[in-house]
Amino acid sequence: MSTNKTPLWFNFASAGSAGAFAWCVVHPFNTASIRMNLASASAPAGTKPLNFFPFLGKMLKERGVGSLYDGLGAGVLRQLVYATARIGLFEVFRDEIAKHREIDFASRLVAGLSAGGCAALLSCPCEVTLVRLSNDALLPEADRRGYTGISNAFTRILKEEGSGAFFRGCSPFVNRALLVGLVQVGTYEQFRVKYREWGVASLYANVMCSSFSAGLLYSIVTNPFETVKNRMAFQRADPTTGQLPYKSTVQTIRLIAKTEGPIMLWAGFLPYFLRCGGHTVTMFMVMEWMRKMYQGQMKN
């Protein structure tokens, strides 16, 4: 990623546009990942992790292909906020660091970590709305919230549960976003440097290899936090005690690992990787293409 050939506003705009486009491509994998992740939560203790393809087949049979796009609008809106801030701020922070020291791997990690945290706080309400919209239809009919769209879900969450509900699960989401900034954005640029050293110098081949590597690493590291975020964002208070089962990131991780086994923290990994890896590759390919086209127009 380079900011010395395109203006700052275009770096932000291309990041958000590429992120939103890539989300349209991978949204079905996100829906399947979240549903598989949450379905694992209701499985009896000691049950083996769900297999993706049988789970997907059952879901398509029961809900139809269209259900894979539940919550798409919220997902796109989230990317317009999240990707714009995460990548745009990374470049701002990186360039600010460059004024004081040579940019190295550590500098990129610091910039990525900082940008990821800022982006998460800005987009957390969109994330909660996305999780709710994607999974409401899976609840028993009596328990469904019956959201009709983004604005309906947003206003009802605000009215019925208060603004705090938008930040329920914020802690794991921010933790995950910090890691996304660290292992996706930070390592992507580092991988670009390394792949050039290894002879992969052409723009799109370099971007493809770098984004795939960053996407795989990102998926492995952040999947447990995705599990925690989904559980906390989608939970309901106990009707008798009024207590929520999941109270913090650490408590939720410990509870899942103790009652269901550590492997359940990676429940839904395959669709999660298809989502994260696919989104990472598509986003960076589209973003670099947009910037190359803009640079070409400027030369003309």
Side-chain angles (χ1 to χ4, degrees), residues 22-100:
W23 189 261
C24 292
V25 175
V26 304
H27 183 81
F29 297 120
N30 178 70
T31 302
S33 173
I34 294 176
R35 290 179 178 175
M36 187 173 172
N37 194 296
L38 292 173
S40 299
S42 60
T47 302
K48 292 182 179 180
L50 296 172
N51 186 287
F52 173 58
F53 293 106
F55 177 84
L56 179 63
K58 183 174 183 291
M59 186 176 71
L60 291 176
K61 183 178 179 180
E62 293 177 352
R63 307 297 310 172
V65 175
S67 69
L68 291 173
Y69 291 89
D70 290 345
L72 176 61
V76 170
L77 178 61
R78 171 182 172 272
Q79 284 299 314
L80 290 173
V81 177
Y82 185 46
T84 300
R86 187 176 78 249
I87 299 174
L89 289 176
F90 166 81
E91 296 179 329
V92 170
F93 295 157
R94 179 203 60 196
D95 292 348
E96 188 62 31
I97 293 172
K99 295 177 182 178
H100 306 282

Side-chain angles (χ1 to χ4, degrees), residues 10-235:
F10 190 80
N11 292 328
F12 276 90
S14 60
S17 300
F21 176 83
W23 189 261
C24 292
V25 175
V26 304
H27 183 81
F29 297 120
N30 178 70
T31 302
S33 173
I34 294 176
R35 290 179 178 175
M36 187 173 172
N37 194 296
L38 292 173
S40 299
S42 60
T47 302
K48 292 182 179 180
L50 296 172
N51 186 287
F52 173 58
F53 293 106
F55 177 84
L56 179 63
K58 183 174 183 291
M59 186 176 71
L60 291 176
K61 183 178 179 180
E62 293 177 352
R63 307 297 310 172
V65 175
S67 69
L68 291 173
Y69 291 89
D70 290 345
L72 176 61
V76 170
L77 178 61
R78 171 182 172 272
Q79 284 299 314
L80 290 173
V81 177
Y82 185 46
T84 300
R86 187 176 78 249
I87 299 174
L89 289 176
F90 166 81
E91 296 179 329
V92 170
F93 295 157
R94 179 203 60 196
D95 292 348
E96 188 62 31
I97 293 172
K99 295 177 182 178
H100 306 282
R101 56 170 291 174
E102 183 180 352
I103 292 297
D104 55 12
F105 187 35
S107 302
R108 295 184 179 103
L109 293 183
V110 169
L113 193 71
S114 304
C118 293
L121 290 173
L122 290 171
S123 60
C124 201
C126 298
E127 182 70 20
V128 171
T129 304
L130 170 62
V131 172
R132 295 283 187 90
L133 282 170
S134 296
N135 297 280
D136 191 55
L138 296 184
L139 290 171
E141 190 169 349
D143 294 332
R144 292 175 190 169
R145 296 177 172 97
Y147 301 131
T148 58
I150 300 173
S151 60
N152 175 260
F154 187 91
T155 55
R156 280 186 53 195
I157 292 171
L158 182 63
K159 181 180 179 180
E160 296 170 8
E161 303 174 54
S163 58
F166 288 120
F167 296 91
R168 185 181 300 158
C170 180
S171 174
F173 180 47
V174 172
N175 291 336
R176 175 186 172 279
L178 289 169
L179 290 172
V180 171
L182 189 73
V183 301
Q184 185 203 51
V185 183
T187 64
Y188 165 72
E189 190 168 273
Q190 187 67 20
F191 276 127
R192 289 206 63 186
V193 172
K194 288 300 180 182
Y195 275 112
R196 279 195 292 268
E197 292 177 357
W198 297 335
V200 185
S202 66
L203 175 63
Y204 294 119
N206 182 277
V207 172
M208 174 69 77
C209 293
S210 302
S211 57
F212 181 86
S213 300
L216 177 60
L217 183 61
Y218 149 38
S219 302
I220 294 170
V221 172
T222 63
N223 200 165
F225 293 93
E226 176 76 1
T227 298
V228 172
K229 180 209 70 179
N230 291 337
R231 299 276 185 106
M232 292 185 73
F234 204 61
Q235 67 184 325

Side-chain angles (χ1 to χ4, degrees), residues 2-6 11 94-95:
S2 176
T3 61
N4 60 356
K5 295 182 180 179
T6 51
N11 292 328
R94 179 203 60 196
D95 292 348

